[in-house]
Amino acid sequence: MLRSPTSIIPLMQRVYGEGSHYALFTATTRADAESQLGSHDQAIAELQTVREKQEDTLGAEHSNTLRTASTLGAALVRAGRQMEGAELLEATKRQQARILGVEHFETKATARRLTELRSPP
């Protein structure tokens, strides 16, 4: 039986625990999809909550926490909050470069998001 994306989060929380990195990673992925589909406010609220939980459980410099920060920055941009999103993306890219390295795929993904933001439409 296939599950809808919204039903997988409670399942992951029951199986792995609410603060597990599996459940939080899944919540980040779902919120990113929601943002891309136009549910900006809901996605931003969820990403902020996930990021706070990740900072508490994994630490502010964990790769999953940084991925969520990058995703949140992109969601803010999609919601029309370009300045706030760009600032978060810049800060996240600097942290990722320092912690993961400039060639790491997550650092490159954040850099791509910044390039797309600065490119004329």
Side-chain angles (χ1 to χ4, degrees):
M1 168 196 271
L2 294 175
R3 296 189 179 275
S4 75
T6 55
S7 69
I8 194 71
I9 304 300
L11 175 65
M12 295 291 282
Q13 290 172 338
R14 281 195 310 276
V15 172
Y16 296 108
E18 185 175 334
S20 79
H21 71 277
Y22 297 114
L24 295 173
F25 180 83
T26 303
T28 297
T29 303
R30 186 187 78 187
D32 187 33
E34 288 173 352
S35 172
Q36 291 180 37
L37 293 172
S39 297
H40 303 299
D41 293 338
Q42 181 179 345
I44 289 168
E46 184 163 3
L47 288 165
Q48 289 170 330
T49 299
V50 169
R51 184 176 175 206
E52 289 169 8
K53 287 181 182 179
Q54 287 173 323
E55 287 175 350
D56 289 345
T57 59
L58 302 172
E61 296 187 338
H62 190 278
S63 61
N64 287 2
T65 308
L66 294 172
R67 180 184 308 116
T68 300
S70 180
T71 304
L72 175 58
L76 289 166
V77 169
R78 284 186 209 110
R81 295 161 61 179
Q82 280 84 0
M83 183 70 78
E84 186 179 358
E87 288 173 1
L88 181 55
L89 287 168
E90 280 287 353
T92 302
K93 186 181 102 176
R94 282 192 303 274
Q95 281 186 293
Q96 288 172 321
R98 181 175 55 80
I99 296 163
L100 305 172
V102 294
E103 294 300 317
H104 192 275
F105 71 96
E106 292 289 351
T107 307
K108 288 182 175 184
T110 301
R112 263 191 315 277
R113 286 175 164 159
L114 277 165
T115 301
E116 291 168 4
L117 174 63
R118 294 184 178 131
S119 299

